[in-house]
Amino acid sequence: MAEGQSMTTADVVAKVMAGEHADFVREAVALIAHELMNAEISEEIGAARGEVCPERITHRNGYRPRPWETRVGEIELLIPRKRQGPAYFPSFLEPRRRSEQAIVTVVLEAYVNGVSTRKVDRLVEQLGIAGMTKDRVSALCKATG
């Protein structure tokens, strides 16, 4: 989803009905994540997007992109920013982790069973995630083991 565009449930359903369902699950996960982030940031700010409210704490200040590697492939999240106060971080993400824990588990299991880091990269690409270099595989293994 590009900044300024908001996919709705109707958009996702329309794509499925039109036969464009190759990325249906990924788009559904992205939609849910986007809605959850909007609800959380609205609660933190004290007002929904575009709402005029005297109890407002601060204002929205754009988005910052963050890739999120999930079982359904890589999703480019647009995390809302605030003008003032502590930075918003979505509740469903873990700080300093790009990958869903299931992906990390797959990488570790393959590596422990003797699969080379380059083959692990190919395995992860089959899951829909590009960019899992051998250095990153090694770093994941060191960080958790």
Side-chain angles (χ1 to χ4, degrees):
M1 280 184 292
E3 189 171 338
Q5 293 180 337
S6 181
M7 183 169 281
T8 64
T9 306
D11 295 335
V12 174
V13 170
K15 279 187 153 187
V16 170
M17 297 302 287
E20 302 171 12
H21 54 72
D23 291 340
F24 168 69
V25 176
R26 186 177 321 163
E27 289 180 18
V29 170
L31 174 68
I32 297 294
H34 177 72
E35 291 298 320
L36 182 57
M37 287 187 294
N38 275 335
E40 288 177 347
I41 194 78
S42 294
E43 186 176 315
E44 280 190 27
I45 289 174
R49 183 183 181 113
E51 179 182 0
V52 177
C53 181
E55 292 86 30
R56 177 184 296 272
I57 297 168
T58 186
H59 295 284
R60 292 172 186 248
N61 191 28
Y63 299 90
R64 64 182 171 90
R66 182 180 193 270
W68 183 36
E69 296 168 352
T70 68
R71 287 172 258 189
V72 296
E74 187 170 288
I75 297 171
E76 185 68 29
L77 296 176
L78 292 173
I79 299 177
R81 294 180 4 188
K82 300 187 294 186
R83 282 192 189 160
Q84 298 170 333
Y88 164 70
F89 193 78
S91 64
F92 58 90
L93 295 178
E94 294 179 50
R96 295 176 290 286
R97 280 214 169 158
R98 283 185 50 192
S99 304
E100 183 183 24
Q101 189 57 41
I103 300 297
V104 174
T105 304
V106 167
V107 169
L108 292 176
E109 185 70 26
Y111 188 78
V112 166
N113 287 318
V115 178
S116 73
T117 53
R118 288 192 175 123
K119 287 183 181 175
V120 170
D121 180 38
R122 283 188 235 134
L123 170 69
V124 172
E125 282 180 8
Q126 292 295 319
L127 294 173
I129 300 167
M132 180 72 73
T133 64
K134 60 186 177 86
D135 296 332
R136 183 132 180 266
V137 171
S138 296
L140 281 174
C141 293
K142 284 179 191 172
T144 57

